[in-house]
Every structure is written in structure tokens, then in C-alpha cells.
Amino acid sequence: MNKYCMHCIYESLPHDIVTFPSQAIIFLEGQPLEYVYRIKDGLIKMNRIHPSGDEKIFDILGPGDYIALLAVLQNKKEYIASAETLTNVSLVRLSYNNVIRAYESNETFKATCMHCAVTRSTMFQNKLFQTNNIDTEEKILATLQLLANKFGVIKGNIVEMELPFTQTVLANIIGIRRETLSRKLSKMQENNIIHVNKNSYTFDRL
């Protein structure tokens, strides 16, 4: 998970380090937006709860990624999604006001930062949205391909990936039921489309 900006002004701001255990809530959608976070270690899922009560995961963030930066730059006053840890995490915590002052301090940086924040916040979600109109097996493979950009290793035309979360989380990201994912993965293994061993996945690159 490489950072887009290697010399980001926010890295020089006053901050503190906070830690959370696995499966902890960092903040909830609708809570007052007080901090921006940069992930030092660990993984975090960003999600929203639909009126039906179903969870929709729309991104997985890891070291170097910022949380809630775009919302601050867009002058939001509340968090627009919830953040929950998938592993133990260590975060750099920056105050809302310090981030805004740094953002407004330099016009060149301001333009670059907004582009970077939008790109980082929407790239995965937009590609995931594009899988909605394909069949379930193709959607599973397309989503795994997206996740492989963060967690996988490509060897020739083969992708090898160890996901640091369960198939329940994977099913939520894909937007299908856990039982459906398990059934489809079993069928795909029988057809030699993919090999699955717990949270390890091997498949041909799309």
C-alpha cells in the first residue's frame, strides 16, 4: 500500500499516536468530524449501514492511507462513513483545524492534495461499483483482482494473495451473502478457476 504523496505536508503537523485492537470502532457515520487519521500499522474497513440494517464495506485501508481526509477538505462536519479495525492498528491522529490550516496554506499543495485525496478515496469504490452488472463468479474474481492490488503478488499470469480478513468480510465487500460466496468459490475450485485455502487465493490474472 504505497502512499500517493511521498512528501506530504500533513506528516509535519502536530499529532499523537493512538492504537486500537481488532474489531474496534474508530468512529461512526454521523459523528462529529474531529480528526483525520493516517494508518501506521494495521487494516481498517470503511463501511455504511443501509436502512435495511445490512453492512456495505466499500474500502479496505492500510499503512500510508488517510482516513476522513477528503471529508475534511470538503468541509464536512460529520464522518460520512464508519471506520472499524480488521486487525490491531496504530494511527497518527491529526486535528481537523490543523489539517485545514495546512491545506489552505499553499495553493499549489492545495490543488495537488485535493486530487490525491479524491483519487485515494474513490479509486477502489468506483472500480468495485463497475462490477455490479456482471455475474456473481465474475464479480468475485473482479473484486479479488482489485484486492490483489493491495494484498497480492503477481507471478507471471498468476495472482497469489493472502487476505488478512475472513470470507464474511470478503462477502460484504463483494455485496453477496457469505453462503453464496462459499458455494461459488467451491464451484470455481471444481472448475479450476481459482484455488482457495482458508484466506489464501490463487487465480489467473484478469
Side-chain angles (χ1 to χ4, degrees), residues 10-196:
Y10 302 130
E11 296 192 2
S12 65
L13 295 179
H15 62 270
D16 56 0
I17 304 296
V18 294
T19 60
F20 293 86
S22 177
Q23 298 183 324
I25 301 296
I26 300 172
F27 54 76
L28 293 172
E29 179 181 2
Q31 287 183 335
L33 205 170
E34 299 179 303
Y35 300 104
V36 169
Y37 299 89
R38 186 176 75 250
I39 303 174
K40 286 176 60 66
D41 296 294
L43 297 171
I44 289 170
K45 67 177 180 179
M46 303 301 298
N47 68 346
R48 293 191 180 99
I49 304 299
H50 290 185
S52 64
D54 293 334
E55 176 191 40
K56 176 58 179 176
I57 299 172
F58 59 88
D59 210 348
I60 304 293
L61 304 178
D65 286 328
Y66 280 88
I67 308 172
L69 176 59
L70 182 59
V72 169
L73 302 187
Q74 293 176 328
N75 294 315
K76 305 292 186 182
K77 301 304 180 185
E78 298 177 344
Y79 290 108
I80 60 176
S82 299
E84 181 179 348
T85 63
L86 291 170
T87 64
N88 295 338
V89 300
S90 176
L91 305 174
V92 175
R93 184 169 64 182
L94 308 167
S95 76
Y96 183 108
N97 290 335
N98 283 342
V99 170
I100 285 294
R101 280 195 291 268
Y103 176 66
E104 297 286 353
S105 67
N106 183 294
E107 287 299 319
T108 301
F109 172 76
K110 186 175 180 180
T112 301
C113 179
M114 177 59 77
H115 173 75
C116 179
V118 169
T119 300
R120 296 177 72 157
S121 297
T122 61
M123 183 169 55
F124 185 86
Q125 297 95 300
N126 287 346
K127 289 182 178 178
L128 190 61
F129 178 78
Q130 291 170 10
T131 70
N132 285 343
N133 295 323
I134 59 180
D135 71 35
T136 302
E137 288 189 11
E138 290 179 343
K139 187 172 184 179
I140 291 169
L141 281 175
T143 303
L144 288 173
Q145 185 74 41
L146 289 175
L147 291 170
N149 293 328
K150 294 187 175 186
F151 304 110
V153 175
I154 297 175
K155 299 180 178 179
N157 288 324
I158 302 298
V159 177
E160 296 179 357
M161 176 170 59
E162 178 82 22
L163 289 181
F165 46 79
T166 66
Q167 287 190 5
T168 298
V169 173
L170 176 60
N172 284 341
I173 296 171
I174 298 170
I176 59 178
R177 295 176 59 85
R178 170 65 175 80
E179 296 80 5
T180 301
L181 175 62
S182 180
R183 185 175 65 254
K184 289 293 185 180
L185 287 175
S186 294
K187 180 180 177 182
M188 292 163 73
Q189 283 205 99
E190 291 174 2
N191 294 331
N192 294 316
I193 296 172
I194 190 171
H195 176 72
V196 182

